């Protein structure tokens, strides 16, 4: 099954406020992008080619582009509004010559372009069907060079367990202590429960099936987690 617009439901009415909301909802939000970059930088590729799937507000584009001045980056997003926000951040940080934005999906990227690294950060929750998630993983694997690294960060956990319920309650308290009014906390938490939560075992199986190996957890905080994988040689 190919990627398609019905597989992704990403509609943020006030997209410009997304980063600010995320900082109050995700522990270490800004540092996550630096962490991802630090993991990629271990490969010592001076002129890396990077694929950002779900470029959103352009956090990876800004972080990677400003800290790694020889890297080329392609940002893909199905939301025209998010592409506009990404473009604004690219212009603000003078990255036009090294960042390409593509309104669409991974499958619609030009054939033949191969990437050293790829990210999928706070995107997977919007892809409801497991088969569509697997299709996306396969599409990304197809675009990566052998040995290429892939990082996923998103909400995770088994929503039926007591452990999850405790973590979810603590997450709501974290948002409140971070300055969000309870009305907003409740709205964000309701929206989170309407989206997909990563099951770690199923994620590892799906990534392996798509051609990845050496899957490792790199981040866990309340209801959010992150993993890195490597495309098989």
């Amino acid at each position: 099954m190919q990627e398609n617009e019905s597989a992704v439901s990403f509609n943020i009415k006030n997209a410009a406020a997304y980063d600010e909301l995320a900082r109050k909802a995700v522990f270490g939000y800004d540092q996550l992008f630096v962490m991802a970059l630090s993991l990629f930088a271990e490969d010592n590729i001076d002129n890396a080619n990077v694929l950002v799937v779900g470029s959103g507000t352009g956090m990876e584009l800004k972080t990677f582009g400003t800290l790694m001045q020889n890297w080329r980056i392609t940002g893909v997003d199905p939301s025209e509004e998010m592409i506009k926000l990404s473009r604004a951040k690219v212009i603000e940080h003078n990255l036009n010559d090294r960042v390409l934005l593509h309104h669409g999906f991974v499958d619609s990227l030009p054939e033949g372009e191969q990437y050293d690294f790829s990210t999928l950060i706070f995107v997977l929750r919007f892809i409801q069907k497991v088969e569509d998630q697997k299709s996306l993983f396969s599409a990304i694997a197809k675009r990566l060079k052998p040995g290429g690294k892939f990082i996923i960060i998103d909400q995770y956990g088994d929503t039926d367990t007591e452990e999850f319920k405790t973590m979810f309650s603590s997450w709501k308290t974290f948002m409140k202590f971070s300055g969000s009014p309870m009305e907003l906390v409740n709205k964000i938490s309701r929206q989170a429960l309407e989206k997909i939560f990563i099951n770690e075992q199923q994620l590892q199986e799906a990534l392996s099936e798509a051609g990845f190996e050496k899957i490792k957890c790199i981040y866990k905080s309340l209801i959010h987690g992150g993993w890195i994988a490597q495309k098989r040689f």
Side-chain angles (χ1 to χ4, degrees), residues 91-232:
I91 293 170
E92 177 187 356
H93 294 278
N94 298 312
L95 300 172
N96 308 63
D97 58 333
R98 292 185 291 115
V99 176
L100 173 68
L101 294 175
H102 179 79
H103 179 213
F105 299 90
V106 176
D107 279 342
S108 61
L109 284 168
E111 292 290 338
E113 190 76 13
Q114 292 284 287
Y115 301 92
D116 299 286
F117 310 117
S118 182
T119 61
L120 187 72
I121 299 180
F122 301 123
V123 174
L124 199 60
R125 69 183 72 182
F126 299 105
I127 305 176
Q128 299 288 323
K129 296 179 181 178
V130 173
E131 288 306 312
D132 289 334
Q133 294 179 14
K134 290 180 178 179
S135 293
L136 178 56
F137 295 159
S138 295
I140 292 170
K142 179 182 176 182
R143 301 288 179 168
L144 281 172
K145 298 175 184 177
K149 303 291 177 56
F150 176 38
I151 287 178
I152 297 173
I153 300 174
D154 220 312
Q155 57 187 33
Y156 87 103
D158 184 344
T159 57
D160 293 327
T161 64
E162 287 301 318
E163 179 183 2
F164 175 85
K165 292 173 183 176
T166 298
M167 290 296 102
F168 194 83
S169 177
S170 297
W171 174 57
K172 292 176 67 175
T173 302
F174 168 76
M175 288 191 284
K176 182 181 74 173
F177 288 165
S178 296
S180 298
M182 280 309 301
E183 182 180 359
L184 180 59
V185 168
N186 291 330
K187 180 179 180 180
I188 292 173
S189 59
R190 284 197 304 270
Q191 290 176 342
L193 290 173
E194 293 170 356
K195 302 296 188 294
I196 294 295
F197 282 78
I198 291 174
N199 177 293
E200 190 167 8
Q201 182 176 346
Q202 290 177 1
L203 175 67
Q204 293 200 13
E205 291 172 355
L207 286 171
S208 179
E209 184 179 322
F212 291 97
E213 61 181 0
K214 299 182 180 180
I215 304 158
K216 300 176 183 177
C217 180
I218 55 172
Y219 167 81
K220 281 187 178 179
S221 175
L222 300 174
I223 67 164
H224 299 106
W227 295 264
I228 188 169
Q230 178 177 299
K231 181 180 175 180
R232 293 191 191 97

Side-chain angles (χ1 to χ4, degrees), residues 10-18 21 81-82 85 187 191:
F10 193 9
N11 180 21
I12 298 173
K13 291 182 179 178
N14 189 12
Y18 180 79
L21 282 174
E81 186 174 10
M82 286 300 184
L85 288 171
K187 180 179 180 180
Q191 290 176 342

Side-chain angles (χ1 to χ4, degrees), residues 59-71:
M59 287 296 292
E60 289 112 309
L61 309 179
K62 180 196 79 170
T63 304
F64 296 1
T66 55
L67 294 175
M68 303 300 283
Q69 296 184 4
N70 292 323
W71 284 18

